[in-house]
Amino acid sequence: MSNPNDPRSNAAWRAAQQWQQRARQAKPGGNVSGIKLLFTWLFFGVMMIIGTVIGLIFLLIGWAMLPFLRHRMKKRMEAMRADQAQDIGGGTYREPRSNDRARDHQVLEGDYETRDDRSNS
């Protein structure tokens, strides 16, 4: 009779043993030669080094471009501020004539114009 404390009598133990046997049989080439394993490690090591170098190059290019981008953004902000200052009242003000009102003012969406009924009659 089998001993109940023996781990080999356990169903999980037997399943693990069968799984190990199947894994040993499923190996396609058996043992991998040491030279093949060495070249595989060297290949992936070189690929990692090349990837790291390319990443560092892109990082340095990005850092080198930051001052140019900052200068470009400053120019754009200056232009926007100048346009806004001109829109607010940078130009000289002149009183529009009664027949020139529609052409002088740009109507934005949501704004409206009032008509002078006295000039039409």
Side-chain angles (χ1 to χ4, degrees):
M1 265 195 139
S2 64
N3 184 1
N5 294 332
D6 188 18
R8 287 175 277 191
S9 64
N10 189 348
W13 177 271
R14 285 193 304 269
Q17 290 296 324
Q18 289 174 358
W19 181 74
Q20 283 180 349
Q21 287 175 359
R22 278 185 270 146
R24 283 188 200 119
Q25 291 172 358
K27 285 186 180 176
N31 293 336
V32 178
S33 68
I35 294 174
K36 190 175 181 183
L37 188 63
L38 178 71
F39 281 128
T40 303
W41 275 101
L42 285 175
F43 174 73
F44 283 113
V46 168
M47 293 301 288
M48 290 291 287
I49 291 171
I50 289 173
T52 303
V53 168
I54 289 173
L56 286 174
I57 288 172
F58 281 126
L59 179 70
L60 291 175
I61 289 172
W63 281 348
M65 290 177 64
L66 280 176
F68 299 112
L69 183 65
R70 183 173 179 239
H71 176 72
R72 189 171 162 192
M73 294 299 286
K74 273 178 131 180
K75 290 291 185 184
R76 187 178 293 173
M77 283 301 295
E78 287 174 5
M80 285 175 53
R81 284 184 185 147
D83 288 345
Q84 190 177 14
Q86 190 175 14
D87 289 345
I88 288 173
T92 58
Y93 178 77
R94 68 175 179 91
E95 187 69 34
R97 293 175 295 222
S98 61
N99 59 357
D100 248 356
R101 276 190 192 145
R103 281 183 252 140
D104 284 345
H105 296 296
Q106 184 178 12
V107 178
L108 299 176
E109 196 171 324
D111 290 347
Y112 62 93
E113 286 184 41
T114 57
R115 292 186 185 170
D116 192 12
D117 291 335
R118 287 177 275 149
S119 63
N120 288 342
S121 46

